[in-house]
Amino acid sequence: MLKYCSIGSGSSGNCHYVGYKDTSILVDAGLSGKRITTGLNDIEADIDKIKGIFITHEHSDHIKGAGIISRKFNIPIFANVKTWCAMKDKLGDIKDHNMKVFENDKTYSLGDIIVRPFSIPHDAADAVGYNFYADNEKMSIATDIGTITENLKRHLYKSKLVILESNYDPNMLLMGSYPYSLKKRVMSEEGHLSNEDAANFCVELIKEGTERILLAHLSKENNFPELAYETSKGILTQNDIIVGQDVKLDVLSRDEVSHVYNIK
């Protein structure tokens, strides 16, 4: 069955594992090479069987370990043209045969997994989220989202498992130490998704067939796991959705490897 695990998720670093049969891939590699390899060992995933690293965008919390992992284990890196142009100098030397280019909103097959990158609104060169299909199941990853667009809805609907950004609490952000320009950037339509906006979108996802939601990419300074969880749970309850019965809800840790989730 299709499997998912977070090696780490937060404003300081992100790496996701997706596996099915003999195909394993990573989405982003924004942690140290050592932490990624240790995390994969923890879930008994062989890094030598990773067939690709799929990059969402070029910010350092998504790519800082990608070059190291690619060079050490001869793993291809997949990204669109604009992202490649923005990140190439940050990765170090990558072998030509490991530089793979895709187009957004097109479907690709890698081993046993079908991958579809789709555009998301974020202040990067050309940020994407991902759909993954295997064994007639669908899961999706969408973080670093400034606002919920129709394109985002179209790609996330009907996903059994969704990894969704719940980045910040508005009150914590406004009262916090960030300079005004950064606060404005985070809250913009090309910034990040607040707890409330994520929770309200969860209502839509559940109505469209999502059975499990993992809240991801929490800000270290402007959020904490219990607040993200309780905000989503509260809004779901207001909409007559019972957490644990109608949907399974978890928060991904920035520092710890998650459970291995089986999509079935």
Side-chain angles (χ1 to χ4, degrees), residues 3 14 18 29 66 74-75 132 180 215 251:
K3 298 178 182 293
N14 299 272
V18 179
N74 194 32
I75 298 173
F132 299 100
Y180 176 73
L215 302 177
V251 181

Side-chain angles (χ1 to χ4, degrees), residues 57-59 80-87 122-127:
H57 64 290
E58 72 275 10
H59 293 165
N80 56 42
V81 170
K82 290 182 179 179
T83 299
W84 265 115
C85 290
M87 73 176 179
H122 190 54
D123 57 354
D126 194 4

Side-chain angles (χ1 to χ4, degrees), residues 166 195 199 215 218 223-233 249 251:
S166 187
N195 291 342
L215 302 177
L218 274 65
N223 209 353
F224 54 94
E226 295 82 3
L227 181 56
Y229 181 89
E230 290 300 331
T231 301
S232 280
K233 183 179 179 181
L249 180 69
V251 181

Side-chain angles (χ1 to χ4, degrees), residues 5 7 15-18 24-29 36 40 47 50-55 69 75-76 78 130 132 141:
C5 177
I7 306 303
C15 183
H16 311 267
Y17 166 86
V18 179
S24 297
I25 63 178
L26 297 179
V27 177
D28 289 335
I36 292 171
L40 291 172
I47 195 166
I50 299 291
K51 296 189 181 296
I53 304 169
F54 286 80
I55 302 298
I69 294 293
I75 298 173
F78 294 78
Y130 289 101
F132 299 100
I141 297 175

Side-chain angles (χ1 to χ4, degrees), residues 54 78-80 101-110 113-119 126 128-133 151 154-155:
F54 286 80
F78 294 78
N80 56 42
V101 178
F102 60 67
E103 295 182 40
N104 297 2
D105 304 312
K106 290 192 175 183
T107 301
Y108 299 88
S109 178
L110 183 66
I113 299 177
I114 295 171
V115 183
R116 184 176 177 88
F118 56 89
S119 300
D126 194 4
V128 299
Y130 289 101
N131 301 135
F132 299 100
Y133 303 86
N151 186 59
R154 183 168 62 252
H155 282 91

